[in-house]
Amino acid sequence: MSNYQLHANETTISIPRIITVDSVNYYEILVKCGQVMWTVNHRYRDFAELHDQLVSERGVSKDKLPPKKVLGNKSPTFLKKRQEALEQYLREMLIFLKVTMPREFVEFLDFHRYDIIFLVQHLASSLFLRGDAFLAKSKKYGFSVLELHAISERMQIPCPPTEAACSNYNFSHILDFCAQLETIIVLPTKNSLPTILYDDDTDKYIPHALHKPIGSSNLIPVQLRYELSVFKVLRNLIIYGVPTENIQNVGALRETLSRIEVYKSETKQICQIALCDNVHKDAAEDELDKSKQWKNLRHAVFKENQLTVIDRTIRLFPTVKDLVLDKNKLESIAHLSHLNNLQILSLRCNRIAQCANWHVQLGNLVTLNLSQNRIRLLEGLGKLYSLVNLDLSCNLIDDINEIDYIGNLPLLENLRLMGNPVAGGVGKLWSEIYLDNEKGNQTEYDMALVLSALRISAQKSHRKLHSLLEPGGSTSAEEQQAKQKNDTERAGPSGGAGS
């Protein structure tokens, strides 16, 4: 973003061309402030209104603005001269108003949209007037990544003179407002909030603006870094179309957050979310820093990204109950055995073809959505004893005998098979099955617990047996003593005499 306070001497204004829309001439104004540039279009009437304000309130000479002309104001020669005169006018006003930068001049040139100081002041003024009324109705607010970047940058610079001159622009209005919010939505631009955020077809509501310039500027959302330390009691964080890697500091969020949702952010690894504020986001480190755990997180939605694996940093969400990984590129699952509270897992629209021994990782799962994958075989789901709801619709299951593996699960109530070859072969009745249309009773719950306990015990026994059969495996002290005794007995007295 631009910083006029830092680059005032490098700021330039020009009018490179005239744009005609419906027979109305607009002068395209190009503003450059440091490395940032943007354009804003105004007709002559807008210049005249600005000039009247500057004359009455800022002491600008009345004859500075090129005069209005009634006849012949459409001729190319006249328009060219007026274009040059208006450009000169703006340059003179910038020099004259360089120190004070009055609000009407700032907004005429769109500094309040693309400059750190003036954007923050514009937001502060808005929250000063309407912030309390807004919080009384809702603790939820949507920020553009540009606003969060500006707030983060403003925290690192001293108070500008233009802010000290008016209490409405005080930065504390923003800090107070943010400290009370419980839910925020982070968006590429302010107007990119979809009509229905959770709809499956959100593409028709929101353009994917991750790499598109913001407005008429050369600012790109993917390049803007921001921090979230100003949010002290935040419980829900929704990030849509903005990289989580651009977060510099999550502040207290690891302690307060109970829900996080990340959509269409081109996320390829879980570590980009779990360790979003780490400089080095290495998912292969030997030890995970426990101070980085999201201790109260219950619901995690990482939907419509580019995840190819579930890396080990998923362990940093130890309390999560609902995990949604829909519309990614996953072919398998991993490291989920560390999520002891996981009850709901959705893997819809991925690339999963195998689900062998999933009970090892999903022992306490209640609801599993595997619709729209590439699954043919169900044996790997046969020991998910706590499963109540299973969605296998739109897969490749073509053998009716595969249903036997899941048909005896003690708590399974709802099974969806629509869209599979096997469903079409046996009629519509098999597309959606309610096994007894009742919740599991105490006997069934007890059976599920017993089966789970037996499975865990069998796994431990198998591991122990495997360790004993390994070459060079450890031998207990009692076994060593018994072996030594047998050797002595076989040697007998003669062995002793020979020695």
Side-chain angles (χ1 to χ4, degrees), residues 153-267:
E153 292 296 311
R154 171 61 184 84
M155 292 173 66
Q156 302 177 37
I157 59 179
C159 178
T162 50
E163 183 177 314
C166 181
S167 61
N168 287 21
Y169 301 149
N170 197 304
F171 187 48
S172 63
H173 301 320
I174 295 177
L175 298 180
D176 291 342
F177 180 80
C178 292
Q180 299 179 65
L181 290 174
E182 295 180 358
T183 301
I184 66 167
I185 305 173
V186 184
L187 301 157
T189 57
K190 198 70 172 179
N191 61 350
S192 59
L193 182 65
T195 306
I196 306 174
L197 185 62
Y198 304 103
D199 191 273
D200 289 339
D201 298 319
T202 46
D203 279 327
K204 63 186 179 185
Y205 298 110
I206 175 173
H208 190 56
L210 194 58
H211 300 280
K212 295 180 179 179
I214 299 173
S216 63
S217 72
N218 61 344
L219 296 169
I220 309 295
V222 74
Q223 299 173 354
L224 299 176
R225 299 184 65 80
Y226 58 98
E227 63 175 80
L228 301 173
S229 59
V230 294
F231 303 100
K232 306 301 183 183
V233 295
L234 201 67
R235 294 183 56 80
N236 307 297
L237 172 62
I238 303 171
I239 300 176
Y240 199 101
V242 178
T244 55
E245 289 181 292
N246 287 16
I247 301 175
Q248 293 176 306
N249 184 3
V250 298
L253 265 59
R254 284 192 169 90
E255 303 289 337
T256 66
L257 213 63
S258 64
R259 185 181 192 92
I260 184 170
E261 302 179 18
V262 180
Y263 299 86
K264 293 188 177 181
S265 299
E266 298 187 351
T267 302

Side-chain angles (χ1 to χ4, degrees), residues 417-485:
L417 291 169
M418 66 177 66
N420 282 281
V422 69
V426 297
K428 293 182 179 179
L429 179 64
W430 282 89
S431 65
E432 190 161 341
I433 303 171
Y434 301 92
L435 298 184
D436 60 11
N437 205 30
E438 295 180 359
K439 291 184 178 180
N441 55 39
Q442 189 60 47
T443 302
E444 290 173 327
Y445 280 112
D446 291 341
M447 183 185 295
L449 290 173
V450 170
L451 290 171
S452 295
L454 289 173
R455 173 177 54 79
I456 294 171
S457 177
Q459 289 172 357
K460 289 181 178 178
S461 299
H462 178 74
R463 284 197 295 268
K464 183 177 180 181
L465 179 61
H466 182 70
S467 64
L468 292 173
L469 293 176
E470 281 183 344
S474 59
T475 306
S476 66
E478 293 178 358
E479 290 174 331
Q480 289 177 351
Q481 290 176 1
K483 182 180 179 182
Q484 186 176 4
K485 183 179 180 181

Side-chain angles (χ1 to χ4, degrees), residues 119-128 141 143 147 151 174:
L119 186 152
V120 167
Q121 290 180 1
H122 181 78
L123 180 60
S125 178
S126 176
L127 295 177
F128 173 75
Y141 192 79
F143 288 92
E147 289 174 326
I151 293 170
I174 295 177

Side-chain angles (χ1 to χ4, degrees), residues 3 29 31 54 63 86 136 141 278 328 402 416 432 460 466 474 487:
N3 185 342
I29 304 167
V31 182
L54 295 179
D63 60 357
L86 290 175
Y141 192 79
N278 270 30
N328 282 284
E402 290 297 318
R416 301 188 70 189
E432 190 161 341
K460 289 181 178 178
H466 182 70
S474 59
D487 292 343

